[in-house]
Amino acid sequence: MEARSDLKYKIYEIFKEFMTGITKLEELDNAANSFLKRFQQGLSFLQRPPMVTSSKLIENIMKNNETRRLKSYIESGCINIDDAAQSTKALHTSLSGLSDHLIKAQSLLTELERLTDEAALAIETATNFSTQLDKESCDELQRVTCDDEEKATVTFPEAPEVTEYATVIAVVYSMVKQNYAMQEKMVRSLSLKSSSAELETYTMMWSLRPFVEEDFGPFTNISFHQARKLEKCSEIRSKFVSRSCGVFGFFVAASDVATKKTKMDYQNKLVLAPMVRVGTLSFRMLAAEYGADITYGEEIIDHKLVKCERRVNVAAGTTEFVEKGSENVVFSTCDEERSRVVFQMGTSDAVRALKAAEIVCNDVAAVDINMGCPKAFSIQGGMGAALLSKPELIHDILATLKRNLDVPVTCKIRLLNSPAETVELARRIEKLGVPALAVHGRKIADRPRDPAKWDEIADVVAALSIPVIANGDVLEYDDFTRIKTATGAASVMVARGAMWNASIFSPKGKSHWEDVKKKYLRKSILWNNDVKSTKYTIKEMIAHHSCLELPEGKSINKADTLEDLAQLYELEDYYWTVKNIRPFDT
């Protein structure tokens, strides 16, 4: 009994120390929440549309419409270099404070975990006491004679209080650990790309308290490791086991959902076509902002992808696939486009295609096989349009990928020599179970200047039951409706029309290409796009709308970095704001 008393005192001391740690963690949380709100305010200021007081137009507006209220509105809306610097400094301070919070909170969690383990060990000791004392009591009962049975009373030992304290410690520790994991994800996702709605959600979530579903009880939040220790106590074992079917049944159900193949809706979608050197992350995000529902990445050859390793770039907010032994980023994506980005691959081998697709498939919405590229490089390598004459190889590639991947697998083809041949190939592809088929309305020998054959796309649509994505000669927003009407296609894909002006996806009408060009450069800076890709895309815009021989085109040729391009288009402040904030996104 003396040992049991010592044990009760020990668990009480553990509990006091544990709750002191929880109080310190709460104080840290409150301070960090203040940093998060300051970050929200600073970013909100930087994201306002800038008004420059030195502008003649602003000056005239104020002069011709001068009222006290209008003047205060405009003055409040103006952003100068000093204001931007102060906001940038505030962002740095806030992120630094949040990072410091994570370090201190992690240290406290380590100490709380130690106390939780000590509490679990106390339960084991208490259980051993109970077992021993119960046995002694039973022996005493057996010594009572039949004659004295009615008079005799046997006092059983009082149940220990250790269990109650240890249970509270285990449950609370599990909850604060989950809360820390949530905070860590929030802090690491903060960047200039964070939207106002996102930040409002973060500040609200930071202040939330844990919620436990009544059906599962507090044991839902106990880690499996702690649960195994706790169930040694007979009192807890009965409760834990009685609820385990519900709890673990829930986890199994969630696991089943996670492993089911994901689906994409290919009906009535506006689709950005795959374009080499153009369809990078920055351009895909630009197209999506204007209204693209599905965005294909540029074609990546399987040979190159199998040499890559996946890397999360916390500073840029991206997931990158980098060539091993180098800093060459082969493909880049982000969480924001996870549900719409299609990874297009060039391949001529089913096994290699699967090996490459497995590297990237968990970070994209679908995988597409290029079967339409007419360039010599692709055809000589047995890829692209070369596959159109190899139906057995098409079967091997698509069947292998579809059988082994949990994301949709599709392909994009060109027209064959005759409509009948195209329809026959499309039907064979459909039988493999692909969810959609993209058809470019040109043959291998056709050039971009040759008109797309919408009528032959219509033949494919009429022959298939799966959605067909029509591609070719979509240069204006109205062409989306025109090609759908002419072909009966489920969705429409656009390449050059989007490259020249990504606002083609906007139902409000096109923005001026100069504005789109600058917006694209801002996206390239924000997402740290490769400078060669950025220059190529901007030059394609200029070549279509203007002339590369003018000073602008020559200046682009001389630019070696994104900073050079930012200076050329008077985006230095934006460039340096992005550059300065990134080191803190860690």
Side-chain angles (χ1 to χ4, degrees):
M1 295 301 293
E2 184 178 347
R4 171 169 287 179
S5 179
D6 290 342
L7 184 61
K8 288 168 66 174
Y9 176 77
K10 181 179 178 181
I11 193 67
Y12 178 66
E13 290 298 312
I14 293 173
F15 182 76
K16 280 202 306 182
E17 189 176 351
F18 180 85
M19 295 311 295
T20 300
I22 292 294
T23 302
K24 291 179 180 178
L25 198 59
E26 285 288 321
E27 292 171 355
L28 278 178
D29 285 350
N30 293 335
N33 196 18
S34 298
F35 282 121
L36 182 60
K37 289 177 180 177
R38 279 158 57 186
F39 181 88
Q40 181 183 15
Q41 292 167 356
L43 190 57
S44 175
F45 180 84
L46 279 181
Q47 289 178 338
R48 286 189 311 186
M51 284 195 294
V52 185
T53 49
S54 60
S55 164
K56 288 292 182 184
L57 177 59
I58 297 294
E59 201 174 296
N60 289 334
I61 289 174
M62 292 180 68
K63 187 180 295 183
N64 296 330
N65 301 274
E66 187 167 359
T67 65
R68 186 177 299 174
R69 177 168 291 186
L70 177 62
K71 186 176 180 180
S72 66
Y73 285 158
I74 294 176
E75 287 176 349
S76 298
C78 290
I79 297 177
N80 55 47
I81 294 176
D82 291 336
D83 293 333
Q86 287 296 323
S87 293
T88 303
K89 184 178 179 180
L91 291 176
H92 290 176
T93 303
S94 300
L95 286 172
S96 180
L98 287 167
S99 297
D100 187 52
H101 161 73
L102 292 179
I103 295 170
K104 292 178 179 177
Q106 181 59 65
S107 177
L108 270 174
L109 277 175
T110 301
E111 178 62 17
L112 293 175
E113 183 178 19
R114 180 187 67 79
L115 294 169
T116 305
D117 287 338
E118 286 188 15
L121 288 173
I123 283 188
E124 293 184 26
T125 306
T127 304
N128 292 335
F129 281 152
S130 294
T131 303
Q132 181 182 352
L133 291 170
D134 286 347
K135 183 178 182 302
E136 293 173 357
S137 298
C138 288
D139 292 341
E140 178 67 23
L141 183 61
Q142 288 175 359
R143 283 195 292 268
V144 176
T145 63
C146 293
D147 293 339
D148 297 332
E149 188 172 353
E150 293 182 1
K151 301 177 183 178
T153 59
V154 177
T155 304
F156 287 91
E158 184 182 344
E161 297 175 6
V162 175
T163 297
E164 285 77 6
Y165 281 122
T167 302
V168 172
I169 289 173
V171 171
V172 173
Y173 170 72
S174 178
M175 289 182 178
V176 296
K177 187 176 180 181
Q178 290 175 20
N179 196 49
Y180 172 81
M182 177 188 71
Q183 292 176 354
E184 186 179 31
K185 288 180 181 179
M186 282 193 266
V187 172
R188 299 207 183 288
S189 68
L190 294 177
S191 70
L192 286 177
K193 299 181 288 293
S194 301
S195 66
S196 298
E198 184 181 2
L199 288 172
E200 285 177 11
T201 302
Y202 286 171
T203 54
M204 180 188 71
M205 289 175 65
W206 199 284
S207 302
L208 287 179
R209 291 295 171 261
F211 171 76
V212 182
E213 287 196 48
E214 187 177 348
D215 288 344
F216 291 157
F219 297 101
T220 304
N221 294 293
I222 298 178
S223 68
F224 184 70
H225 172 70
Q226 295 296 336
R228 286 183 62 85
K229 290 184 176 181
L230 288 174
E231 67 174 343
K232 291 183 179 181
C233 171
S234 59
E235 180 182 349
I236 293 182
R237 185 190 298 118
S238 61
K239 295 181 181 178
F240 183 79
V241 172
S242 67
R243 295 171 183 254
S244 63
C245 293
V247 175
F248 294 124
F250 169 78
F251 288 140
V252 170
S255 176
D256 288 343
V257 172
T259 56
K260 286 181 180 177
K261 289 182 181 289
T262 56
K263 294 182 179 180
M264 281 189 73
D265 182 7
Y266 291 96
Q267 294 287 348
N268 299 312
K269 303 300 180 186
L270 306 184
V271 185
L272 175 68
M275 291 180 282
V276 175
R277 286 182 287 182
V278 176
T280 56
L281 174 59
S282 54
F283 194 85
R284 297 196 302 268
M285 294 299 286
L286 179 69
E289 187 173 315
Y290 279 118
D293 301 302
I294 300 173
T295 54
Y296 280 59
E298 58 177 331
E299 177 197 21
I300 304 295
I301 307 302
D302 57 2
H303 284 287
K304 181 168 282 191
L305 191 62
V306 295
K307 298 176 184 177
C308 292
E309 57 186 0
R310 182 180 184 273
R311 180 178 71 185
V312 176
N313 187 333
V314 178
T318 57
T319 300
E320 300 171 345
F321 297 85
V322 185
E323 207 165 352
K324 295 175 183 176
S326 74
E327 289 300 310
N328 180 31
V329 178
V330 173
F331 178 73
S332 178
T333 184
C334 66
D335 290 341
E336 289 92 324
E337 68 167 4
R338 171 67 179 81
S339 62
R340 64 171 176 267
V341 62
V342 177
F343 179 83
Q344 195 190 54
M345 177 165 46
T347 186
S348 60
D349 181 85
V351 175
R352 191 171 59 247
L354 176 59
K355 186 178 179 182
E358 286 177 332
I359 295 172
V360 75
C361 66
N362 291 327
D363 295 288
V364 297
V367 172
D368 184 85
I369 302 302
N370 184 344
M371 299 183 184
C373 181
K375 294 182 179 178
F377 171 80
S378 288
I379 292 179
Q380 289 170 5
M383 301 176 292
L387 292 174
L388 296 175
S389 60
K390 301 175 182 178
E392 292 81 9
L393 182 54
I394 289 176
H395 179 280
D396 288 346
I397 292 171
L398 293 179
T400 300
L401 293 180
K402 188 175 183 302
R403 187 169 56 248
N404 292 282
L405 299 181
D406 290 329
V407 295
V409 176
T410 59
C411 61
K412 182 172 183 282
I413 67 171
R414 279 191 172 232
L415 301 176
L416 275 69
N417 292 329
S418 70
E421 289 179 88
T422 306
V423 167
E424 176 60 25
L425 177 63
R427 281 175 171 163
R428 295 186 68 164
I429 291 173
E430 180 184 32
K431 288 179 181 178
L432 293 172
V434 296
L437 175 67
V439 181
H440 185 177
R442 291 185 174 87
K443 300 178 181 179
I444 296 176
D446 290 341
R447 300 276 72 88
R449 62 178 177 272
D450 297 320
K453 301 171 178 63
W454 289 2
D455 56 333
E456 293 192 29
I457 298 177
D459 292 336
V460 175
V461 174
L464 303 186
S465 58
I466 61 173
V468 172
I469 305 171
N471 175 219
D473 287 349
V474 179
L475 305 176
E476 302 292 338
Y477 184 82
D478 289 344
D479 290 336
F480 288 122
T481 302
R482 290 179 56 241
I483 192 172
K484 281 193 72 176
T485 302
T487 65
S491 296
V492 181
M493 177 180 281
V494 56
R496 292 175 300 156
M499 177 177 65
W500 294 332
N501 191 325
S503 65
I504 188 176
F505 292 105
S506 174
K508 298 177 182 178
K510 281 185 179 178
S511 300
H512 194 280
W513 74 274
E514 291 275 13
D515 296 331
V516 176
K517 178 181 65 179
K518 274 198 172 185
K519 198 168 188 178
Y520 167 69
L521 180 54
R522 290 169 71 95
K523 295 284 186 189
S524 293
I525 293 170
L526 186 61
W527 293 103
N528 198 30
N529 193 40
D530 176 67
V531 67
K532 292 181 181 178
S533 166
T534 304
K535 287 171 61 175
Y536 177 85
T537 304
I538 291 177
K539 285 165 68 175
E540 286 292 321
M541 294 181 192
I542 295 172
H544 179 72
H545 295 283
S546 179
C547 177
L548 286 170
E549 295 305 315
L550 295 175
E552 180 186 10
K554 294 178 180 179
S555 296
I556 291 174
N557 285 330
K558 294 178 182 178
D560 294 322
T561 64
L562 288 176
E563 182 183 357
D564 294 338
L565 291 174
Q567 290 176 347
L568 176 61
Y569 290 100
E570 299 180 347
L571 290 173
E572 303 101 312
D573 287 348
Y574 182 78
Y575 174 84
W576 284 109
T577 299
V578 172
K579 185 175 178 62
N580 288 335
I581 200 67
R582 275 195 179 130
F584 291 87
D585 293 338
T586 57

